Amino acid sequence: MRSGARTGPIGSSAGARSEAPSRLAERGGTFTSVPTTTSHPPRYSATPRRRRAALLAAGASLLLPLAAAAPALAVPAPGPSGSPAHSPGASATPGKPADGKAKPPPKQPPAKMSTVGGELLGRPGPQVQLGPGAPELPRELSGNSWLVADAETGDILAANNAHWRLPPASTLKMLFADTVLPRFPKDKKHEVRPSDMEGMGEGSSQVGMKEGQTYSVHDMWMGVFLRSGNDAVHVLSAMNGGVSKTVRDMQEHADELQAEDTHVVTPDGYDAEGQVSSAYDLTLFARSGLQKADFREYCSTARTQFPDEDHPGKTKEIVNTNRLLTGQDGVTAYKGMAGVKNGSTTNAGNTFTGVAQHDGKKLLVTVMNPEIKERNQVYKETQLLLDWGFEAVGHVKPVGVLVPPKGGFPADKSGGTNGQASQGAQAAVTGGGDGMWTAVGLTGGALAVLAVAGFVVNRRHPLPERAARRRPGHAAPPKNPPSPPKD
C-alpha cells in the first residue's frame, strides 16, 4: 500500500518541478508546458509489500462467508469521507448512509454497460490496447471507474468501467456550470434572499454566502469552483428559476451531450436517491465546459478573494480544493494541471476530473471512488493515469472516443458573457504558446479548432500547511471533530 503522494517524473517529480519555475502574479500564472520524461525504468511494478497485501486480501476473502453469517464481524459502513462509521464524527450505521438520502452504489459493475463511444467501453474491467513502446497500465489503480482521454481528439486511451453509473458527488457541478454559466453576465449582482438557499443538504460544503448580502455572478462561480460551495449553487439556481428548473435544464443538457448514464436529482451533486453519472459522462461535461472561456478561468484559478460574510465590505482569501492544482494537504501540485473539479460524499466516495498539458498534449482524466481508502488516493491515482497517458499517447490504440454533442460544439463566444471576452482568461493569453490552450471538438469526425484561451493557474506548490487552516470556516481541530462536509 502506498502511504505518500506519488510524484511521477512527468508531472510532479523533483526533477520536473525544477524544469518549470513557479509563476507568482496578482492574476495567477499560466498554463505551463512541461517536457515529457520517458527515459526511466518501468515504474509500474508491484512491491513486495503490495504482494503481501494482495496475499492478505486473498486470505481475507475466505472469511467473507463468516462475515455474512456473523454481523459482529462485518465491516462498518463508510462515513461521509469514506472512513468507517465508528470514526469520530461519523453518523452512519452499517448498511445505511450517514445522510440517509440515498442507497450506496452497487459493489460490482454490470456485466454489460452503455456502448456510447465504443463497444469496448461497455465491458467491465480495464480496457486498453497497447502498441509497440506503450507502457503498461499502473498496477496501483483501485478506482471503481476511471478514464483517460486525449482532450483534443476525444480518443480514449484507456478506461475501467467507463459507463458504470455511480454517485458523482461535486464533479456533477461541471454539468451545472456548463448548463447555467452562459445565462448570466459575470458582472451581474444579486442580493441573497432567505429562500435562495433553502433545501441545501445537511453538512454541505459552503463558500460562505449570507442572506441580505450582494454578490456578483463572478464571485459566485468562484465559490462554486474553488470551494465547491453548495450555497453558491443554490443561489445561482434560484436566479435560474429555482432548483427544480435547474435540474431539468441540467438533464436536458446532459442529454444533448449524449451523457446517457447521467440522472440529475440535485444541482450540486449532493447524495440523492437515483442520482448517478459515470466516468465517461463526467469527462464529457469537462470537455464541453472547457470550450467556454469563463469555465476555463474559474476551474483553473488557484486562489482568489471572496466577500467576507462576517465583515461586509471586506474580502477573504479562498483556495481551490483541487489539490493537484494548488498543492496542499500533502499532495504535490501537478505541473500543467488546470482544473477541473473534485468531489466527495458518503455514497460517492472521492471523485475527480482533471485536465493537464505537457509538450502540447492535453489529457482529461476522471477517477471515481478508489477502493484504497488512503487519504488523497483519488489524486494519487489521477497522477498515475496522467503520467501513464502522456507516455502512452501515440503508442496505444484508442478503446473508444468522447462523442460530440448532438448539435456539435458551438463556437466559444467568451463563455456566455454577452459576447465580451472573459477578462481573466484573456489576461492569461500573454505568454505565448506555452500559456495557450486550444479548446477543440469533433464535428463529423473532423478536428475543428473552436477556441483559444489561457488557463489562469497559480503556480504555488506546495502551499504551506497553514493555508489549509486559513480556509473559510476552518478552525483548530476539536476533540470530537464533526463529519466532513458533503459536497
Side-chain angles (χ1 to χ4, degrees), residues 403-417:
V403 295
K406 293 177 181 178
F409 284 110
D412 179 9
K413 296 181 180 179
S414 80
T417 51

Side-chain angles (χ1 to χ4, degrees), residues 18-334:
S18 66
E19 293 171 3
S22 299
R23 303 187 182 189
L24 300 176
E26 288 299 318
R27 61 177 174 82
T30 56
F31 193 86
T32 307
S33 180
V34 179
T36 301
T37 302
T38 56
S39 56
H40 55 76
R43 295 175 286 111
Y44 309 122
S45 59
T47 62
R49 179 178 294 182
R50 291 190 61 80
R51 286 195 293 269
R52 289 195 298 271
L55 291 173
L56 288 173
S61 67
L62 298 177
L63 299 177
L64 287 178
L66 294 177
L73 298 178
V75 177
S81 61
S83 58
H86 62 266
S87 297
S91 59
T93 55
K96 183 179 180 180
D99 48 39
K101 297 292 183 180
K103 296 178 181 178
K107 297 297 183 183
Q108 297 294 331
K112 287 188 64 177
M113 293 169 279
S114 169
T115 57
V116 171
E119 180 185 355
L120 292 178
L121 301 180
R123 300 178 184 177
Q127 305 297 323
V128 65
Q129 299 186 98
L130 302 177
E136 292 185 1
L137 282 173
R139 297 182 183 179
E140 299 92 335
L141 300 175
S142 71
N144 281 336
S145 177
W146 53 258
L147 179 151
V148 53
D150 187 308
E152 290 190 321
T153 67
D155 287 342
I156 297 174
L157 308 183
N160 178 55
N161 303 321
H163 283 290
W164 191 1
R165 298 178 179 180
L166 297 168
S170 277
T171 44
L172 192 66
K173 287 184 173 78
M174 295 186 295
L175 174 62
F176 170 75
D178 197 38
T179 302
V180 178
L181 191 152
R183 302 185 179 187
F184 306 108
K186 64 199 311 181
D187 57 356
K188 181 178 176 64
K189 301 290 181 65
H190 178 79
E191 181 179 332
V192 178
R193 300 185 297 267
S195 61
D196 289 350
M197 293 189 285
E198 288 180 354
M200 268 200 308
E202 182 181 354
S204 288
S205 55
Q206 301 182 43
V207 66
M209 298 185 68
K210 193 172 184 179
E211 298 171 6
Q213 290 196 19
T214 299
Y215 302 83
S216 70
V217 167
H218 180 273
D219 287 337
M220 286 187 270
W221 283 117
M222 285 295 183
V224 170
F225 278 95
L226 273 67
R227 301 302 305 165
S228 205
N230 288 6
D231 47 356
V233 170
H234 277 255
V235 173
L236 286 163
S237 295
M239 294 173 62
N240 188 56
V243 168
S244 295
K245 178 181 181 299
T246 300
V247 166
R248 290 195 301 271
D249 292 345
M250 290 170 64
Q251 190 65 63
E252 289 177 3
H253 189 48
D255 295 342
E256 166 64 22
L257 295 177
Q258 302 195 61
E260 298 180 2
D261 301 324
T262 298
H263 179 63
V264 184
V265 179
T266 68
D268 49 25
Y270 191 88
D271 283 340
E273 190 68 41
Q275 180 153 274
V276 291
S277 190
S278 66
Y280 185 89
D281 285 8
L282 293 175
T283 312
L284 289 181
F285 302 152
R287 192 170 184 237
S288 178
L290 290 169
Q291 312 301 318
K292 301 173 176 63
D294 283 352
F295 187 104
R296 295 193 294 271
E297 176 196 353
Y298 299 134
C299 81
S300 62
T301 299
R303 63 205 315 130
T304 191
Q305 294 295 312
F306 188 86
D308 191 332
E309 70 273 24
D310 296 324
H311 302 90
K314 296 185 178 181
T315 62
K316 62 185 180 183
E317 182 182 69
I318 57 174
V319 180
N320 202 314
T321 55
N322 174 358
R323 291 162 176 77
L324 289 183
L325 179 66
T326 59
Q328 54 182 319
D329 193 28
V331 177
T332 301
Y334 193 91

Side-chain angles (χ1 to χ4, degrees), residues 406-433:
K406 293 177 181 178
F409 284 110
D412 179 9
K413 296 181 180 179
S414 80
T417 51
N418 290 345
Q420 297 179 355
S422 164
Q423 296 177 357
Q426 285 294 318
V429 187
T430 57

